[in-house]
């Protein structure tokens, strides 16, 4: 069986590599946080899921404290090659892996394991959009 989907190799974050065949160990899904400078400065949070990058535009960036919710606008899925894509107007603010802890129709709880550390967030569906929330309980700084 030929698999032609690209994923991030956990041992070399940021380097695209072919997905391992289904018989081998599962690769942890990747994420990337892109910083866009045009047309207006904003960030895009992209989570690998189902062979694509599910994406949200976050105009003011990721929240810094639990009381600081941020608008997150769902945008079309992107191809996995966007994990490492940069150009004159778009750079990678953070990249790594992510893990899901819980999901319902209205909320997804997950941890980003990036270059800048580990942070747990919730994406909360509102009536017409999403809020990105930094949770009060954060993972320990210990790697493992």
């Amino acid at each position: 069986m030929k698999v032609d989907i690209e994923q991030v190799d956990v041992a070399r974050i940021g380097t695209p590599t072919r997905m391992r065949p289904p018989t081998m160990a599962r690769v942890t899904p990747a994420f990337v946080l892109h910083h866009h400078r045009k047309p207006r400065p904003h960030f895009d949070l992209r989570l690998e899921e189902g062979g694509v990058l599910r994406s949200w535009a976050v105009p003011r960036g990721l929240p810094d404290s639990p009381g600081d919710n941020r608008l997150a606008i769902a945008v079309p899925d992107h191809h996995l090659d966007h994990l490492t894509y940069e150009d004159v107007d778009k750079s990678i603010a953070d990249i790594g892996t992510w893990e899901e802890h819980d999901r319902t129709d209205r909320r997804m709880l997950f941890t980003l394991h990036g270059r800048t550390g580990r942070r747990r967030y919730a994406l909360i569906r509102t009536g017409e959009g999403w809020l990105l929330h930094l949770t009060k309980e954060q993972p320990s700084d210990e790697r493992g």
Side-chain angles (χ1 to χ4, degrees):
M1 175 179 171
K2 183 180 176 191
V3 178
D4 196 31
I5 299 172
E6 290 189 352
Q7 288 191 338
V8 168
D9 185 330
V10 175
R12 294 178 291 144
I13 295 298
T15 303
T17 176
R18 294 287 171 204
M19 186 165 105
R20 294 179 175 92
T23 57
M24 295 181 77
R26 182 178 165 276
V27 174
T28 305
F31 87 91
V32 64
L33 181 66
H34 277 124
H35 178 226
H36 285 259
R37 288 174 282 288
K38 287 186 177 179
R40 291 191 131 168
H42 70 279
F43 291 85
D44 283 340
L45 174 62
R46 305 186 197 287
L47 304 176
E48 178 184 0
E49 183 174 61
V52 297
L53 293 172
R54 300 215 32 227
S55 300
W56 292 264
V58 186
R60 294 180 48 221
L62 301 183
D64 294 326
S65 69
D68 188 19
N69 294 325
R70 299 289 172 89
L71 173 67
I73 303 160
V75 297
D77 295 343
H78 284 62
H79 293 279
L80 290 175
D81 60 1
H82 276 74
L83 275 171
T84 57
Y85 180 79
E86 294 184 288
D87 63 27
V88 70
D89 297 320
K90 182 191 308 185
S91 61
I92 295 174
D94 199 6
I95 190 168
T97 61
W98 73 283
E99 66 179 303
E100 181 180 311
H101 302 292
D102 187 40
R103 184 185 300 212
T104 66
D105 291 341
R106 297 192 41 84
R107 180 183 56 85
M108 181 169 68
L109 183 65
F110 60 96
T111 298
L112 300 179
H113 301 265
R115 295 186 293 208
T116 59
R118 297 188 285 183
R119 303 289 280 195
R120 185 168 297 142
Y121 296 94
L123 266 170
I124 303 162
R125 186 183 303 267
T126 63
E128 296 181 19
W130 295 86
L131 287 178
L132 184 60
H133 173 78
L134 181 69
T135 64
K136 287 181 183 176
E137 292 185 22
Q138 289 295 308
S140 68
D141 287 336
E142 297 175 19
R143 301 280 174 174

